[in-house]
Amino acid sequence: MKRVVVTGMGLRTPLGHDADQLFDRMLAGETGIRPQPAWAEVGELGASLGASVEDFDEQVIPRKYRRTMGRLAQMSVASALDAVAMSELPAEVVAGERTAVIAGSTVGSPHAEEVFWEHLLTRKSARGVRSTLFFHGMSHTISANVALMVGARGEVMATNSACASSTQAIGVAADRIRAGRAEIALAGGGEELHVASAIVFQSLGAVSSQASPDAAPRPFDRARDGIVVGEGAAMLVLEEREHALRRGAPILGEILGFGTTCDAEHMANPDPAGMMSAIRACLRDAGDVSTIDYVNAHATGTPAGDAAEAQAILELVGDGVPVSSSKGHLGHLLGGCGVVEAIVCLQAMRRGVAPPTRNLADPDVAPIRLLREPHEAPLHRCLSTSFAFGGVNAVLLLGDEPGARS
């Protein structure tokens, strides 16, 4: 079986636009969650917090390419460009038939959808609809625009499975490389902040009504009352290990295992058994795994979801492994959360410190080892979990590639 390593990463998040900045701010206990005053115009909406990406300069992308990109694709393409630059891959190698692009989001650009439907419903006319709106809003807007930007001519796929989207993208990309169908893959995903997301989660009884970032979200905490939606994007460069070694590439980590399953029980209610099935599938895929050093939990701050995940972690990983959630720092990036949290795991292994869970004061879940402060320790294997509506579960095991630790 071919091995798959990470040689580049790029991101745009509410806590910064590079992995070191993001991780430093998480260790410092900072948050990218902010009040969203414009949302007050929406009647009966209880949510007022969101996590937005600030100071994003879309002009890093040439204008001729930006025409087919909404904000979602722009953040993703900018992230992909950074990831390719970090990987030190020559442009002519990326622009080949052995490079795949696999990325996902919950939807395309919601702002593009809003513009389209506002035009149709107010004007009742097809005249004047911008031809580029479709490319902004299409479900595969990230993967198609990234491929166009870098010239990748291999497989292009979209893994649109809500909050599991970008975790599935990484796993599927790793599988394509293992199978010999690609040597290089750009994998990840993102989401664009829009009030529609808050409305949807409120309709499901899953959004926080708190008004302060110091009060929400509260992963694993007794006072948790729901998620805070956010935006962001990230992309990884994955390579077949021997391909990376031959060119002396900087290796940031390894994709050791991937598992994805479906609860097939309920569209919205979490199922610990389904979560455990995905973790078991991931560990089977990784082979003989003797230890896990850290779990970056999906933990969004919903009462049922966090409790179910803690139970699954306790039964399969145990009560001694450090666990934390990134959501208190970043909000819920929906389709983008998996890839950003994979980068958090890579940073944790590189730095030898696991980040804390922000806003955790009084845990009321199964007795797992939840981190409230940064935890310094050698970290060689990190588990990252993503669980989505529809009962879709996706889990990655990442390793600190040097030495191929057993």
Side-chain angles (χ1 to χ4, degrees):
M1 180 75 73
K2 296 178 185 292
R3 292 171 60 184
V4 181
V5 295
V6 181
T7 57
M9 55 188 177
L11 49 76
R12 297 294 186 275
T13 78
L15 278 182
H17 300 166
D18 69 71
D20 287 329
Q21 182 185 37
L22 166 68
F23 201 70
D24 286 342
R25 295 182 71 180
M26 289 180 67
L27 293 180
E30 295 185 40
T31 181
I33 295 167
R34 305 168 181 89
Q36 304 294 317
W39 292 4
E41 299 174 4
V42 179
E44 306 301 321
L45 178 63
S48 61
L49 296 174
S52 55
V53 172
E54 304 294 314
D55 303 319
F56 170 56
D57 181 11
E58 70 276 5
Q59 294 188 22
V60 299
I61 305 166
R63 186 173 182 273
K64 69 175 182 177
Y65 292 103
R66 292 202 309 271
R67 294 181 64 253
T68 59
M69 300 179 196
R71 180 173 171 85
L72 169 62
Q74 289 173 358
M75 291 190 294
S76 302
V77 168
S79 300
L81 293 175
D82 287 352
V84 170
M86 180 181 286
S87 75
E88 301 177 3
L89 277 164
E92 63 273 16
V93 174
V94 178
E97 294 181 359
R98 299 287 287 161
T99 299
V101 179
I102 303 175
S105 57
T106 302
V107 294
S109 169
H111 289 90
E113 294 290 332
E114 180 182 5
V115 169
F116 175 84
W117 287 108
E118 182 179 31
H119 180 100
L120 178 62
L121 296 175
T122 59
R123 302 189 189 187
K124 303 293 186 182
S125 172
R127 182 183 296 275
V129 175
R130 296 204 316 270
S131 61
T132 54
L133 273 180
F134 170 74
F135 302 116
H136 294 193
M138 64 188 186
S139 59
H140 62 306
T141 187
I142 298 176
S143 49
N145 276 292
V146 168
L148 181 65
M149 182 74 240
V150 303
R153 291 177 169 81
E155 297 177 334
V156 171
M157 299 183 187
T159 51
N160 301 112
S161 48
C163 311
S165 296
S166 55
T167 298
Q168 284 192 332
I170 296 168
V172 170
D175 283 347
R176 306 311 273 178
I177 293 173
R178 286 175 174 177
R181 299 181 70 93
E183 286 183 328
I184 301 162
L186 286 162
E191 210 73 59
E192 184 178 315
L193 185 63
H194 193 279
V195 69
S197 298
I199 294 171
V200 167
F201 280 99
Q202 178 170 300
S203 72
L204 293 165
V207 76
S208 174
S209 60
Q210 299 296 323
S212 168
D214 294 325
R218 306 186 70 90
F220 297 122
D221 192 87
R222 187 179 304 277
R224 65 190 183 277
D225 72 334
I227 75 164
V228 172
V229 295
E231 70 173 353
M235 297 293 292
L236 300 179
V237 173
L238 305 185
E239 281 187 69
E240 194 274 320
R241 184 174 181 267
E242 294 304 314
H243 183 276
L245 290 175
R246 282 196 301 272
R247 65 181 191 86
I251 294 179
L252 309 176
E254 182 172 3
I255 308 300
L256 297 175
F258 167 60
T260 186
T261 63
C262 183
D263 297 349
E265 287 287 341
H266 194 278
M267 274 291 174
N269 293 343
D271 180 12
M275 294 174 174
M276 286 190 287
S277 71
I279 296 173
R280 280 194 296 265
C282 177
L283 298 180
R284 282 196 307 270
D285 188 51
D288 183 17
V289 178
S290 57
T291 58
I292 295 171
D293 301 306
Y294 166 63
V295 178
N296 187 284
H298 185 64
T300 62
T302 61
D306 290 10
E309 183 171 9
Q311 187 62 41
I313 291 171
L314 178 65
E315 294 192 29
L316 286 186
V317 182
D319 60 2
V321 176
V323 179
S324 66
S325 168
S326 302
K327 302 297 192 298
H329 303 276
L330 293 166
H332 192 349
L333 305 189
L334 307 179
C337 70
V339 62
V340 171
E341 290 164 10
I343 290 175
V344 170
C345 288
L346 292 169
Q347 288 292 88
M349 290 186 288
R350 295 175 73 199
R351 300 278 198 93
V353 56
T357 304
R358 194 174 188 276
N359 292 335
L360 176 60
D362 183 18
D364 76 333
V365 296
I368 54 177
R369 187 181 175 186
L370 294 170
L371 299 181
R372 304 186 208 184
E373 301 291 337
H375 172 73
E376 294 188 16
L379 304 175
H380 305 304
R381 293 188 186 87
C382 295
L383 199 71
S384 181
T385 61
S386 299
F387 305 118
F389 285 139
V392 180
N393 312 301
V395 180
L396 290 170
L397 183 66
L398 301 107
D400 64 338
E401 196 276 346
R405 299 175 189 275
S406 59

